[in-house]
Amino acid sequence: MKVGNFMSFILSLILRLILTFIIAAGLTPLIRRLSFWIGAVDTPNKRRINKTTMPSAGGLAIYLAFSIAILFLFKDIFSTVYSLKLILGGGIIVLTGLVDDIKEISPRAKTLGMLLAAFYTYFILNIRMDIVNVFSFENINVGWLSLPLTILWILGFVNAINLIDGLDGLASGVSIIALTTIGFIGYIASSSGAIVVQVPIMMFILVASISGFLPYNFFPAKIYLGDTGALFLGYMIAILSLQGLKNATLVTLITPLIILGVPITDTFYAIIRRKLKKQSIAKPDSMHLHHRLLSLGFTHRGAVLMIYVLALTFSIIALLYSAASPIANVVMIVAVLVGLELFVEQIGLVGEDQRPLLNAMRYIGNRAYRQQVRKEREQKKHRNQKR
């Protein structure tokens, strides 16, 4: 592409993204009124942050703006048939979230909607995980595992974004950071021919749609993302990361997991926390990352901004990871995991008494603590012998 044509294309792209932003911003107040009308609202309770009834179908504004953009504003880039298929797939997950925002359906019913969207993605959209690359060593064709891995991938991202949606603007902002990073890496990959350029463009369209909604969603929020939006964003991040990263030679399966490090970490430790307490993993609690930050004295806005910083940190690590050698990648991942575990234990994300790594370091570096632990072990051993 000649320089003049390229600059003309970029300018046209930017203008259309700005228009997408404006459409989302214009739709959001209308969706706010609609939410009250259909009963898609969050009423205050002991687990919720809001003190007044809040409209909670804000994700509809993002979904509609995104759909309008790919159908009409970018019709020269995406075929109408493909756009309609993608909109239908997103519509399945949006409808699931909307029903939950109105009626609060059971976890099983919500999972059924997610599974329907995931199977649609695999068989109709033909978006699937068929090649896996770990630590940049070798591409592995997963064969018959493609279907279950794709389903788990989609369900994992959908639930991760849904679980982190607990403060004003949190899930929206983290999704913008993640999608921008994946889009940037995807654009670099497209220049080498690893993927088509349409994939990162679609990510930036979604970023523009979320950005138009965010001013209404950031603290103090006028409308919530709701399950309507959280499920849709998780679904789109899942399928776009599969399209944008799976065949790129300079990235691996781990890259999107690093980029989404904040919601994935929150979800992972929520599962561990509930298993240790012998609770159902679907049972809600008030021990998520944003809850812990609030308990440490962070303000609402401060907790959100802090998690934005964490999300940006993970994104920078992912960019470094995509450019490093395989051995350096292994070392980097180990360092990230150790640092992450220390952070999680320090803020008490699993529980105040669950700090194995900190206790191990304390055992090595604190003689008095080491003697105390040994004494307690001897006493326990002595009691067991008496029995």
Side-chain angles (χ1 to χ4, degrees):
M1 185 181 291
K2 295 181 179 179
V3 175
N5 292 338
F6 176 75
M7 292 304 297
S8 177
F9 172 76
I10 294 297
L11 179 60
S12 171
L13 184 64
I14 292 172
L15 290 175
R16 285 183 280 182
L17 289 175
I18 292 172
L19 188 53
T20 303
F21 172 93
I22 293 171
I23 292 171
L27 283 172
T28 303
L30 301 178
I31 297 300
R32 185 176 188 275
R33 295 180 185 177
L34 178 65
S35 296
F36 281 118
W37 185 62
I38 62 177
V41 294
D42 265 357
T43 53
N45 60 39
K46 62 182 180 180
R47 285 194 65 252
R48 300 194 185 279
I49 302 297
N50 53 303
K51 304 300 181 184
T52 60
T53 300
M54 291 287 293
S56 61
L60 268 179
I62 297 172
Y63 171 70
L64 291 174
F66 175 78
S67 301
I68 292 169
I70 63 172
L71 264 180
F72 301 106
L73 300 182
F74 293 86
K75 63 182 180 180
D76 59 325
I77 296 178
F78 309 105
S79 72
T80 302
V81 172
Y82 177 77
S83 295
L84 288 173
K85 285 182 178 180
L86 185 63
I87 290 168
L88 180 56
I92 296 171
I93 205 81
V94 165
L95 182 60
T96 302
L98 183 61
V99 173
D100 189 54
D101 284 331
I102 297 172
K103 299 180 62 176
E104 197 164 345
I105 57 179
S106 67
R108 182 176 295 181
K110 192 189 297 187
T111 302
L112 185 62
M114 296 178 195
L115 283 171
L116 182 60
F119 278 105
Y120 176 91
T121 301
Y122 188 90
F123 290 106
I124 306 300
L125 287 176
N126 199 32
I127 298 174
R128 55 189 63 178
M129 184 184 296
D130 45 21
I131 297 174
V132 173
N133 184 305
V134 180
F135 295 122
S136 303
F137 286 115
E138 185 179 355
N139 288 330
I140 303 170
N141 194 317
V142 297
W144 65 269
L145 287 173
S146 174
L147 177 58
L149 285 176
T150 302
I151 301 301
L152 287 173
W153 182 268
I154 293 173
L155 293 185
F157 277 96
V158 169
N159 281 291
I161 297 298
N162 193 33
L163 283 177
I164 204 175
D165 184 30
L167 295 179
D168 298 356
L170 183 53
S172 304
V174 169
S175 296
I176 288 173
I177 293 168
L179 284 163
T180 302
T181 307
I182 298 173
F184 180 72
I185 294 174
Y187 179 75
I188 294 174
S190 70
S191 64
S192 65
I195 64 170
V196 293
V197 73
Q198 284 89 341
V199 177
I201 289 175
M202 185 168 288
M203 295 178 194
F204 295 133
I205 295 170
L206 186 54
V207 168
S209 302
I210 306 169
S211 299
F213 167 77
L214 185 58
Y216 298 93
N217 185 229
F218 195 74
F219 182 81
K222 297 179 179 64
I223 184 171
Y224 285 166
L225 189 65
D227 276 12
T228 307
L231 299 187
F232 175 64
L233 292 184
Y235 171 76
M236 291 302 299
I237 289 171
I239 67 173
L240 289 175
S241 63
L242 279 180
Q243 280 188 301
L245 299 180
K246 69 171 185 175
N247 291 325
T249 55
L250 71 162
V251 294
T252 75
L253 177 68
I254 295 176
T255 305
L257 299 180
I258 298 175
I259 295 170
L260 270 294
V262 170
I264 288 173
T265 298
D266 199 24
T267 303
F268 176 73
Y269 283 100
I271 293 172
I272 292 177
R273 181 172 64 246
R274 291 163 190 173
K275 284 293 184 182
L276 289 173
K277 293 180 179 179
K278 298 181 179 179
Q279 298 174 339
S280 168
I281 60 173
K283 183 178 180 180
D285 61 23
S286 298
M287 287 287 291
H288 289 289
L289 176 59
H290 52 276
H291 293 127
R292 295 304 303 159
L293 291 177
L294 291 173
S295 71
L296 292 173
F298 281 75
T299 63
H300 191 123
R301 186 190 297 265
V304 172
L305 293 176
M306 181 66 212
I307 297 176
Y308 283 0
V309 170
L310 291 174
L312 279 169
T313 302
F314 276 110
S315 291
I316 292 170
I317 291 170
L319 290 171
L320 293 174
Y321 178 89
S322 65
S325 67
I327 299 301
N329 284 340
V330 175
V331 174
M332 189 184 303
I333 291 299
V334 171
V336 168
L337 291 176
V338 171
L340 188 59
E341 176 64 21
L342 285 172
F343 172 76
V344 164
E345 292 183 16
Q346 189 65 45
I347 67 170
L349 195 59
V350 180
E352 297 290 345
D353 55 342
Q354 301 294 332
R355 295 178 173 177
L357 188 55
L358 283 174
N359 287 339
M361 296 173 68
R362 188 179 174 192
Y363 184 85
I364 295 170
N366 187 321
R367 184 178 179 182
Y369 177 74
R370 189 162 57 246
Q371 291 174 341
Q372 177 189 338
V373 171
R374 288 173 178 172
K375 184 178 179 180
E376 290 174 354
R377 286 176 181 170
E378 287 297 326
Q379 291 174 345
K380 185 177 180 181
K381 182 179 180 182
H382 184 65
R383 286 194 299 268
N384 291 337
Q385 286 175 347
K386 280 188 174 182
R387 293 175 186 172

